Amino acid sequence: MTDTDSRLEMVSPLMHPAFGPRIPAKEFYELPPEWFHVGSGPVYGRVDVDPGDNNLLDKGDGPPLGVRIKLVGRVIDSDGEPVPGTLIEIWQANAGGLYLDEYCDRPWLPTDPNFFGTGRTLTDENGEYVFYTIRPSGYAGPPGSGMWRAPHVHFSFFGPNLANRLITACYFENDPLNETDFVYAQQKYADDRDKMIARVEEVGLDGTYLQVVYRWDVVLRGPGATPMDVE
């Protein structure tokens, strides 16, 4: 076991009482076995995906606080083929570590009236996606737990060839909190943790604002698949 692995060996966060409300209290609803084969593909809901839904920077009356990032990547299958038409939804904390969520247990963190923290898009014919957002802050775990979360962005994937909604998260290259993040630590193997890291591709300007471009490619199936969220 490496030094990094030993630092990451922590008690499961699910044992902390603060996580009790997040554990399902009822049985999961089971779909009929044949539904996937007779269905015509995913139904994304009553609201269409618009081109601007992937831009989290222009939803308020002014620019949000924080470093602007462009998050790009490619969604592929186990054979390395692109997966077009995949619905990707993201949600994240703001630059102060606060989610716009009524269940957020850190109300003392600063709000940002110009940042709502959610976006979505469809992959193009090459499986490519792009989001414009800000780099979220890390934050403390449940009060009294002594746990920390590194900056991260939650991702959901759902497409014509996916029987389930896949949930995971990306973390940012070289962030010092990665090694102490108790959710990231649930991935036991260094290779799996590495697959969850978004890497800097370019640093430049978005108009007059600094912008960092991160790339995070996602493999949906097979031995090289991106790990799903175990939070």
Side-chain angles (χ1 to χ4, degrees):
M1 179 180 292
T2 66
D3 290 342
T4 299
D5 288 334
S6 64
R7 288 196 297 271
L8 287 167
E9 190 173 350
M10 302 178 183
V11 176
S12 170
L14 295 179
M15 297 178 66
H16 192 277
F19 284 82
R22 305 180 68 173
I23 299 173
K26 298 180 180 180
E27 293 291 330
F28 290 121
Y29 178 77
E30 294 188 10
L31 293 167
E34 71 281 0
W35 80 273
F36 180 63
H37 301 286
V38 301
S40 59
V43 177
Y44 293 143
R46 298 178 182 274
V47 181
D48 292 335
V49 180
D50 294 324
D53 287 351
N54 65 335
N55 189 350
L56 284 67
L57 301 173
D58 63 356
K59 300 301 183 283
D61 294 329
L65 300 174
V67 175
R68 295 185 171 211
I69 66 172
K70 181 180 178 181
L71 193 52
V72 303
R74 190 166 183 247
V75 179
I76 60 175
D77 62 19
S78 57
D79 296 320
E81 295 297 319
V83 186
T86 299
L87 173 67
I88 305 178
E89 298 174 306
I90 67 169
W91 61 100
Q92 63 171 91
N94 66 15
L98 183 71
Y99 287 89
L100 191 65
D101 182 344
E102 63 178 309
Y103 298 108
C104 184
D105 57 1
R106 297 172 297 280
W108 57 86
L109 294 176
T111 60
D112 183 349
N114 294 312
F115 188 74
F116 303 105
T118 61
R120 59 184 191 156
T121 191
L122 294 171
T123 54
D124 65 15
E125 64 274 12
N126 298 312
E128 298 276 354
Y129 71 86
V130 59
F131 286 98
Y132 302 91
T133 183
I134 55 98
R135 196 178 191 277
S137 173
Y139 54 85
S145 68
M147 297 175 176
W148 291 89
R149 294 302 320 267
H152 60 281
V153 177
H154 299 276
F155 273 73
S156 163
F157 300 90
F158 188 58
N161 297 315
L162 296 177
N164 299 299
R165 181 181 182 222
L166 305 179
I167 308 293
T168 187
C170 78
Y171 299 78
F172 296 94
E173 181 180 26
N174 296 327
D175 193 284
L177 289 179
N178 287 343
E179 293 189 359
T180 57
D181 186 293
F182 62 89
V183 175
Y184 183 65
Q186 301 306 301
Q187 302 296 338
K188 296 181 180 179
Y189 303 107
D191 286 348
D192 286 339
R193 295 193 296 272
D194 191 61
K195 294 171 186 174
M196 303 178 78
I197 297 294
R199 304 191 183 282
V200 175
E201 192 169 74
E202 182 183 349
V203 178
L205 291 176
D206 174 19
T208 58
Y209 294 94
L210 172 69
Q211 176 181 260
V212 182
V213 180
Y214 286 92
R215 171 164 288 275
W216 189 53
D217 295 329
V218 175
V219 181
L220 294 182
R221 289 183 290 269
T226 304
M228 292 300 107
D229 205 344
V230 294
E231 183 175 0

